[in-house]
């Protein structure tokens, strides 16, 4: 029954990821948090467990996405190579920061982040970045930018696409190359972040079955398998619907998630 629940989460997360064009982490983290809480897990480590498990599932989905984009020649490997050292250091550091934070503080961080992304998606559904405002790529900034993206990705349990794509687009990459290169960047982020959550979580006495550090094995397997299958279906449906309506719908979902986590972190 437990594995069935995770398969269902994976199906929904994968479909939503394909439908809205974002990594499944923004869906997986809050849903897993609720499921873990209802399962009676210690609230002190529940958010950490949701974040670590989310990053582990992103390893599988980012491999699939990276191969698909690379097949269409949309991955700029020199750019990915310059970003990767910062992404690796940043994501491991982000896991260390998450381990040091309490569950309540992590809820606050996630709540603020989803609020920011939700508002940004509302704004981007009405406006477009003009070509003249894009900047040429400065390779000296890639290492620093990679570190910031890596830290944020580990803290939020995401592959970093919502941060990497806008950065690369601002640097002058066309959207197809920005999205494809971002998909490739998600792999080192997810691998390093997941290993970080395993490492730091191993020192905590969680007493939760089927876990390695802050990664829940059953949830990882169930979500990875189903999200891999349903992401393609979500992408097909996305082509039938208005992009503006999709962005607004997902923004509403993110704002609801934000209110939930902020209400948990800041009880009235």
């Amino acid at each position: 029954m437990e594995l069935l629940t995770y398969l269902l989460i994976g199906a929904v997360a994968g479909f939503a990821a394909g439908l809205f064009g974002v990594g499944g982490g923004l869906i997986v983290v809050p849903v897993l948090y609720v499921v873990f809480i209802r399962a009676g897990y210690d609230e002190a480590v529940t958010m950490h467990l949701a974040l670590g498990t989310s990053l582990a599932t992103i390893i599988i989905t980012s491999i699939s996405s990276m191969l698909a984009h690379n097949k269409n020649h949309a991955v700029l490997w020199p750019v990915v190579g310059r970003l990767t050292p910062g992404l690796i250091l940043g994501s491991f550091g982000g896991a260390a920061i998450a381990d040091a934070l309490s569950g309540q503080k992590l809820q606050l961080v996630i709540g603020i982040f989803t609020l920011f992304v939700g508002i940004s998606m509302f704004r981007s559904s009405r406006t477009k970045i003009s070509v003249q405002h894009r900047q040429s790529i400065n390779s000296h900034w890639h290492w620093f930018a990679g570190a910031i993206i890596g830290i944020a990705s580990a803290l939020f349990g995401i592959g970093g696409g919502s941060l990497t794509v806008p950065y690369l687009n601002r640097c002058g990459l066309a959207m197809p190359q920005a999205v494809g290169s971002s998909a490739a960047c998600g792999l080192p982020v997810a691998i390093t972040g997941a290993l970080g959550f395993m490492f730091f979580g191993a020192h905590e006495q969680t007493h939760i079955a089927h876990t390695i550090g802050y990664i829940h094995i059953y949830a990882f397997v169930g979500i990875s398998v189903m999200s891999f299958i349903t992401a393609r279906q979500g992408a097909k449906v996305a082509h039938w619907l208005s992009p503006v309506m999709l962005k607004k719908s997902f923004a509403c979902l993110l704002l609801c998630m934000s209110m939930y986590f902020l209400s948990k972190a800041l009880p009235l």
Side-chain angles (χ1 to χ4, degrees):
M1 186 63 187
E2 186 180 8
L3 184 56
L4 210 56
T5 301
Y6 299 133
L7 288 170
L8 180 60
I9 295 172
V12 174
F15 186 82
L19 181 65
F20 296 119
V22 297
L26 287 171
I27 302 292
V28 171
V29 171
V31 175
L32 271 184
Y33 173 79
V34 173
V35 170
F36 289 158
I37 285 292
R38 292 187 177 278
Y41 294 171
D42 184 359
E43 194 163 356
V45 297
T46 300
M47 183 57 75
H48 301 77
L49 201 60
L51 292 172
T53 304
S54 174
L55 284 168
T57 65
I58 291 170
I59 295 174
I60 307 301
T61 53
S62 47
I63 289 174
S64 174
S65 179
M66 177 185 69
L67 292 175
H69 285 292
N70 188 56
K71 188 176 181 179
N72 293 321
H73 308 288
V75 179
L76 299 184
W77 291 107
V79 174
V80 174
R82 288 193 288 269
L83 280 168
T84 295
L87 291 170
I88 290 174
L89 290 175
S91 56
F92 193 81
I97 294 171
D99 180 57
L101 294 176
S102 67
Q104 187 178 31
K105 289 180 179 177
L106 278 176
Q107 290 168 15
L108 180 61
V109 169
I110 297 293
I112 293 173
F113 175 70
T114 50
L115 178 65
F116 172 77
V117 175
I119 293 173
S120 297
M121 291 197 82
F122 261 123
R123 293 179 62 187
S124 67
S125 67
R126 300 193 302 267
T127 60
K128 294 182 179 179
I129 299 173
S130 58
V131 175
Q132 59 265 32
H133 288 148
R134 292 177 184 164
Q135 304 168 0
S136 59
I137 295 176
N138 185 342
S139 59
H140 297 293
W141 280 100
H142 281 332
W143 194 95
F144 177 75
I148 297 299
I149 293 169
I151 291 171
S153 299
L155 276 174
F156 306 141
I158 60 175
S162 56
L163 304 173
T164 310
V165 171
Y167 168 73
L168 293 178
N169 190 226
R170 290 279 184 182
C171 285
L173 271 66
M175 278 304 294
Q177 284 71 40
V179 172
S181 301
S182 173
C185 288
L187 186 57
V189 167
I191 292 175
T192 310
L195 289 174
F197 274 93
M198 287 175 63
F199 174 77
F200 293 109
H203 296 82
E204 299 292 332
Q205 300 297 320
T206 58
H207 302 296
I208 298 175
H210 316 301
T211 61
I212 301 177
Y214 288 133
I215 295 179
H216 195 291
I217 302 303
Y218 280 11
F220 162 68
V221 172
I223 293 171
S224 297
V225 169
M226 289 305 296
S227 62
F228 186 85
I229 296 171
T230 59
R232 295 182 180 181
Q233 305 307 315
K236 289 179 181 179
V237 174
H239 291 291
W240 305 339
L241 303 175
S242 162
V244 173
M245 182 58 66
L246 283 175
K247 279 193 172 184
K248 287 183 177 180
S249 299
F250 191 64
C252 286
L253 178 62
L254 289 177
L255 291 175
C256 289
M257 292 176 182
S258 174
M259 293 303 103
Y260 173 77
F261 282 121
L262 290 176
S263 67
K264 294 277 291 182
L266 301 170
L268 297 177

